Structure formats: structure tokens, C-alpha cells
Amino acid sequence: MSELIVAHRYAKSLLDFAIEKNAVEAVAKDMIDFAETCEGSYELVLALKSPIIKHYTKLAILAKLFKDKFNPVTYGIFVIITNKNREKILPAVAKEFISMYTDYKGIQKATVTTASSLTADQKATVAKIVKDYTGKEVELIEQIDESLIGGFILKVGDQQIDDSIKRKLNDLKVSLAS
């Protein structure tokens, strides 16, 4: 079975259990912290994926790092997954959980890429447009790419609106070449 499918199932179970135990916010914070830790510590990810390191040693590593800091519900999923010898999927479980949590809370992530920083009014306008389109609260992620020259690229879910000068010049170049 695909790692992503398994991670999705564990994340769904974790979200359901966290809702049942009224610990959704704490578990979400823990999973965000765990995902950030994995992104910042390639050694931890390698240790979790290593077939050489025994699963009880991996559990000891997770206990040392997270047991006292994380909610028992969060740490409990670490124990369950590690006991099933599937600890290599823990980073994927964290990412899946975060995605499900944002859906659960009705939050839509949107990424806007511009040539220069947006003003507060521009950010509010983009967030309002996305909120009107999706009907969800918006978490706006701003990126700067000076090669765009001007305009913007807005990504919402799997949709993208490219209204950049760079794309328009490219389109003009293609049309002139043909």
C-alpha cells in the first residue's frame, strides 16, 4: 500500500480521535511542530526511515524528543505507528494531518507570488477575493519572485491564476514567433 494512503488513514484516525478527546488544537500544534522539526532535522527523518535502527530505539528517540512536550494523543499515535514498524511514515502523517486540520477548520491556503512585497491593503484584497471564491477563511502565504517583473501568480488549491508581466511577455514572444 502506498505510503501516502497509509499516512492519510493514520492522519484521519488521529483527527477523529483528537476531536473525540477535545484535543484538536493541541494535536494540531504538535503535528505542526513535528513537521517543522522533520524539515529542520534531516537526521531525524533518516533515523525514522533507517532499516538498521530497531523500532524500539526509534520510539526511544521520539520519547526523548517529544513525550514531555506533546499532548498524550499525539504521542500515542507515535507509539502506535512505531509499534507497527511504520515510523518512516510519521513525517507524511504530520503533513496529512495538517492538511486535514485546515480543512476541518475551514481554512484555505493561498499562495500569492509577486515581484515585490504586497501592502497590507493588497493582502487584504487578495484574501477577500480568495474567501469569496472558496467560502473559507484564508491563510495567505506571500512569496517574492523578482523575475515576474510585475503582476502576480495566485495559487489556491490546485488552481493557479498567472497574471504576471513575465507570462504576458512570454505569450507575446510565442505569438510573434508563430
Side-chain angles (χ1 to χ4, degrees), residues 8-19 77 97 100:
H8 181 82
R9 288 181 179 176
Y10 279 114
K12 175 77 172 109
S13 297
L14 178 60
L15 180 61
D16 291 344
F17 190 61
I19 291 168
I77 198 76
F97 180 87
M100 289 179 181

Side-chain angles (χ1 to χ4, degrees), residues 17-37:
F17 190 61
I19 291 168
E20 183 181 311
K21 294 292 184 182
N22 294 321
V24 177
E25 299 301 324
V27 172
K29 181 188 174 306
D30 293 344
M31 294 308 271
I32 290 167
D33 290 347
F34 180 73
E36 288 173 354
T37 301

Side-chain angles (χ1 to χ4, degrees), residues 15 28 71 104 129 140-141:
L15 180 61
N71 185 290
Y104 170 76
I129 290 168
L140 192 62
I141 301 163

